[in-house]
């Protein structure tokens, strides 16, 4: 596979800047601390000539800010479903950008979304190929590219509460 860390970083910086008007920047810290308000994660599966997933995890505060930007900057209350939809759509856009660089035919699924203070969002038999930690005004975002690997069977879970490699 020919996707590099720099590619994944550039894709996500462009998505957040062009779709939301939000600047995210890479950070050395791959740990995303939970600040009482919890966090949210979305995963989009890629199947076909290449199999894996793109996963987006962020704090609820950053997800709320993204939802506000999608709504045109209106400072209104958003339902949990609207915030979930926003993170799911961001994962979907990231997966679409990754898909364009993969062998074809490769198809993407609808996003799966989980949120709260304690959850596992797993990719069965997956192993992390790339992880890109970002920061935006003190809030954290982590984008992961996961390859389905029958041999590894690695469990990807709760990246927001521990240091990632």
């Amino acid at each position: 596979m020919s996707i590099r860390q720099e590619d994944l970083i550039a894709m996500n910086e462009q998505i957040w800047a062009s779709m939301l008007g939000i600047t995210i920047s890479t950070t050395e810290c791959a740990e995303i601390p939970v600040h009482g308000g919890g966090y949210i994660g979305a995963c989009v599966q890629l199947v076909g000539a290449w199999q894996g997933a793109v996963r987006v995890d962020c704090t609820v505060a950053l997800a709320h800010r993204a939802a506000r930007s999608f709504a045109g900057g209106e400072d209104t209350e958003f339902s949990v479903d609207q915030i979930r939809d926003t993170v799911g759509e961001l994962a979907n856009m990231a997966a679409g950008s990754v898909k364009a660089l993969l062998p074809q035919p490769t198809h993407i699924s609808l996003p799966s979304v989980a949120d709260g203070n304690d959850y596992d969002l797993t990719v069965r038999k997956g192993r992390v190929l790339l992880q890109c930690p970002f920061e935006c005004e003190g809030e954290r975002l982590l984008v992961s590219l996961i390859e389905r690997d029958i041999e590894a069977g690695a469990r990807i879970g709760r990246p927001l509460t521990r240091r990632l490699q």
Side-chain angles (χ1 to χ4, degrees), residues 15-30:
I15 289 167
W16 282 72
S18 65
M19 297 302 297
L20 302 172
I22 295 174
T23 300
I24 59 173
S25 56
T26 58
T27 180
E28 293 293 317
C29 182

Side-chain angles (χ1 to χ4, degrees), residues 119-132:
Y119 69 84
D120 279 335
L121 181 59
T122 61
V123 175
R124 189 168 179 261
K125 296 183 180 179
R127 67 181 176 92
V128 175
L129 290 179
L130 299 171
Q131 288 188 316
C132 301

Side-chain angles (χ1 to χ4, degrees), residues 33-53:
V34 177
H35 296 291
Y39 48 93
I40 187 163
C43 187
V44 174
Q45 304 283 325
L46 296 132
V47 296
W50 187 85
Q51 297 208 17

Side-chain angles (χ1 to χ4, degrees), residues 55-119:
R55 180 171 165 169
V56 173
D57 293 282
C58 67
T59 62
V60 170
L62 183 55
H64 189 272
R65 181 170 178 205
R68 187 172 53 242
S69 292
F70 264 132
E74 296 177 24
D75 195 18
T76 61
E77 286 295 315
F78 294 96
S79 70
V80 172
D81 286 337
Q82 289 171 307
I83 293 171
R84 287 181 187 137
D85 287 347
T86 297
V87 177
E89 184 56 32
L90 289 166
N92 192 51
M93 286 186 274
S97 295
V98 166
K99 177 186 175 237
L101 300 177
L102 294 174
Q104 297 302 315
T106 298
H107 306 282
I108 60 176
S109 72
L110 293 173
S112 297
V113 182
D115 62 283
N117 289 318
D118 185 24
Y119 69 84

